[in-house]
């Protein structure tokens, strides 16, 4: 009979204890962390591997833990007024938000399969839910197995600047690698393209990125607290004109910062 080897650490742990030997717990009891399940002589991929693949895609998408929980299902239209009128669209705030939500859903439905086409430019005041919708798009496409990169524009620019202070041999990403990743990723989400301190250098970087994705018809989502006319004062006409070609615009109006409303709701419930 073949002799069974018991790891020493298990023997020490159970020494002097009564009852059965404690075996290490598996993260997945179905496949015992092998990634495969044998059934009727055939091997099947365990669902835990799909979960791990999804988690890896989330990390690659650069979604923070809070953002990874945003979905279309918990985007609540109750925060958008049914009586206040949106002068830009000629409808109520509620109807503008509903249209924006539907556009985001269509974007996901389209780019689950398609690889080329127009994107979305979602603009509105601070706290109107722009980042929420953008993250919901990223989560839905990531769950569908698409390659997505979610990046906050000021953070991306800071990361590019930081490469100038690094030595080439330290193993960190170079400027070209960072820019190429954003240029060529299947779906790019640029969050918070707003009223920042844009220098000629930053304007050129943003122009280069948007122009590349326009020329190659790569789907892109951009959020901003400014409309395209106001953005033109910061980024210049050549960049905003390409944004118009790259993305379909949707206004997301709100009477009050939704984060403040939710915070007050939490206080009221206590």
């Amino acid at each position: 009979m073949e002799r069974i080897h018991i790891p020493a650490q298990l023997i020490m742990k159970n020494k002097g204890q009564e009852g059965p030997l404690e075996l290490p717990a598996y993260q997945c009891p179905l496949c015992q962390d092998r990634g495969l399940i044998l059934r009727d002589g055939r091997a099947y991929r365990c669902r835990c591997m799909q979960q791990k693949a999804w988690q890896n895609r989330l990390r690659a998408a650069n979604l923070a833990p809070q953002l990874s929980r945003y979905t279309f299902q918990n985007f609540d239209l109750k925060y958008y007024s049914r009586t206040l009128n949106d002068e830009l669209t000629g409808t109520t705030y509620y109807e503008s938000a509903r249209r924006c939500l539907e556009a985001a859903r269509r974007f996901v439905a389209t780019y689950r399969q398609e690889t080329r086409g127009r994107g979305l430019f979602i603009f509105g005041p601070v706290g109107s839910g722009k980042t929420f919708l953008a993250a919901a798009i990223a989560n839905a496409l990531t769950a569908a197995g698409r390659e997505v990169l979610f990046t906050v524009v000021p953070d991306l620019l800071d990361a590019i600047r930081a490469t100038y202070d690094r030595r080439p041999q330290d193993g960190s990403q170079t400027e070209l690698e960072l820019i190429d990743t954003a240029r060529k990723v299947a779906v790019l989400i640029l969050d918070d393209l707003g009223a920042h301190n844009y220098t000629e250098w930053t304007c050129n970087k943003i122009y280069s990125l948007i122009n590349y994705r326009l020329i190659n018809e790569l789907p892109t989502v951009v959020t901003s607290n400014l409309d395209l006319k106001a953005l033109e004062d910061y980024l210049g006409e050549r960049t905003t004109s390409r944004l118009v070609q790259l993305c379909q615009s949707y206004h997301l109006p709100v009477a009050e910062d939704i984060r403040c409303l939710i915070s007050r709701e939490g206080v009221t419930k206590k």
Side-chain angles (χ1 to χ4, degrees), residues 97-251:
R98 189 195 65 78
R99 291 180 183 179
C100 193
L101 174 60
E102 288 306 308
R105 290 182 185 273
R106 285 196 303 270
F107 182 90
V108 169
T110 299
Y111 295 113
R112 276 196 175 103
Q113 303 295 331
E114 300 295 328
T115 58
R116 296 287 186 273
R118 291 189 79 189
L120 300 175
F121 176 72
I122 302 172
F123 67 100
V126 173
S128 62
K130 304 181 297 296
T131 296
F132 193 115
L133 267 186
I137 291 171
N139 286 317
L141 287 174
T142 298
R146 294 307 311 275
E147 181 192 34
V148 180
L149 176 63
F150 184 103
T151 183
V152 181
V153 173
D155 292 347
L156 175 63
L157 294 171
D158 285 345
I160 293 172
R161 287 192 197 93
T163 63
Y164 302 156
D165 299 326
R166 299 190 192 121
R167 296 180 180 179
Q169 65 270 23
D170 71 356
S172 301
Q173 283 186 299
T174 65
E175 176 187 6
L176 181 59
E177 288 170 338
L178 282 170
I179 294 175
D180 264 4
T181 298
R183 280 176 176 169
K184 298 177 181 178
V185 67
V187 179
L188 175 65
I189 298 178
L190 292 172
D191 189 41
D192 196 20
L193 183 64
H196 309 295
N197 182 24
Y198 292 117
T199 64
E200 182 179 359
W201 177 87
T202 55
C203 288
N204 286 337
K205 295 299 178 187
I206 293 171
Y207 169 81
S208 174
L209 174 57
I210 290 173
N211 189 59
Y212 182 94
R213 296 191 68 83
L214 172 64
I215 291 172
N216 291 279
E217 298 181 323
L218 296 173
T220 308
V221 176
V222 181
T223 74
S224 178
N225 59 345
L226 301 175
D227 62 23
L228 287 166
K229 183 62 179 175
L231 265 181
E232 187 176 315
D233 294 335
Y234 295 93
L235 297 175
E237 183 180 1
R238 64 173 187 164
T239 299
T240 51
S241 68
R242 282 160 177 77
L243 264 176
V244 171
Q245 293 176 268
L246 180 65
C247 300
Q248 179 71 38
S249 295
Y250 287 90
H251 188 216

